Amino acid sequence: MMLTDFRVLDLTQFVAGPTATKIMAELGADVIKVELAPAGDHGRRSGLRSRRPGYERSTQSTYFVQHNLGKRSLALDLKDPRGQAILRDLVRRADVVVENFAPGVLARMGLAYEAVRELNPRIVMCSISMAGQSGPLADQPGFDYMGSAYAGITASIGEADRSPAMVPVAIGDSATGLAAAMAVGFALLHAAKTGEGQYIDCSLIDTYVHMHEDLIPRVGLRGAGAKFPRSGSQHPNGGPTGVYRTADGRFVSIMVLPYQWPRILAAMGRPELADDPRFRSPRDRRANREELKAIIEDWMAELGDRDSVLAALAAERVPCAPVLELDEVIAHPHMRERGTIREVDDPDIGTFPVPAIPARFSAWQPDASARAPRLGEHNEEILSDLLGMDADAIAALQASGVLVSDPGPGGANGA
């Protein structure tokens, strides 16, 4: 069963919100993605577009497809009262609403949680934003990188003598989407037991702050002096822990806890380093991590290529991994056998790989044939089946621009 009896209204764009609702869709929920007229989710304008002859006008993109598998698309003008009325009617028939507008936008449409709850007392509503719905930063617009900056994550990344570095992946967006999906699931359990819905407020800043391992209590107790300086390829709180270059110009990631220190010495054939005053204790190894890095990389240079290094470390059970480039990740046998990377066959773009949801269930398998909807692809289906509208009423809404749809081949307009 999983979520097959639940209907979700998805009022989200880009990554964090769509990630939450995509997880629900892949677990069986009927996710109706309400896209804003005229162009839909902004994610449709990112990523790769179709190069297939005749599909040049398609709004599908790899970016959109990755984050919206298994959903149905209803493309509405929510500035028009008729569009807002349709949305209110759908709220009455939904179990969940997820939105990531800037705080206050839905309230100006008359769709704040209080109004939504009056329409449907059992509704679970989740808002996702950069800073949350309360607090001094609540009104600030922002994306993943702003959340990282506010949470003290950005300040910790990069070389000590350079500016902080930016991580070019949506860590906070994806993790917030996961947190939101989890919270919605728990709220649905609560609703099943009590008959009461509730409101969930998820923010990227909250997610990023939660990612700190132990620095918040450390700095809270000891002040700014307890902060670790940026340390580039080396972890500031351990040694040897970091990224190391091999003789063939590739890299290996190593993490050695204090009790594992003898293992890497055995792998390198350097037992005498156990008595070296520079490396005798974890604190010593942390203080002299750059010298230790040079010793390790000299050993790697003598040993040979990355695979030889990994084999020597693995023989002594030293935690290590190759630093894979993304093309290596996509082709890696583990990712393929486990389904971490899956293939999507999109009618407009073709076949390409996307990440799978990061959980496996013994009693549920996501639909391997699921695809992302074209813009407004399910306008007629949703409005006729759920709201009982006839074809003439739907055609009138389409003609007036309250409904929009993909003009590409096979799109709802059939153009």
Side-chain angles (χ1 to χ4, degrees), residues 290-306:
E290 291 299 328
E291 293 175 72
L292 185 53
K293 177 186 177 184
I295 291 171
I296 293 171
E297 290 191 335
D298 285 346
W299 166 71
M300 289 181 173
E302 294 172 2
L303 192 61
D305 61 14
R306 184 180 71 181

Side-chain angles (χ1 to χ4, degrees), residues 45 72-73 75 85 94 125 127 137 148 215 229 236 238 245 251 267 339 358 370 385 405:
R45 294 183 286 285
R72 297 196 286 171
S73 175
M125 183 171 179
S127 293
L137 298 176
S148 175
L215 281 176
R245 182 187 290 270
F251 297 90
D385 292 351
S405 53

Side-chain angles (χ1 to χ4, degrees), residues 258 261 272-286 288:
W261 171 236
E272 74 279 5
L273 292 178
D275 298 319
D276 190 315
R278 297 174 297 172
F279 311 127
R280 191 168 290 149
S281 72
R283 181 172 293 184
D284 296 328
R285 293 194 289 276
R286 183 174 66 211
N288 297 291

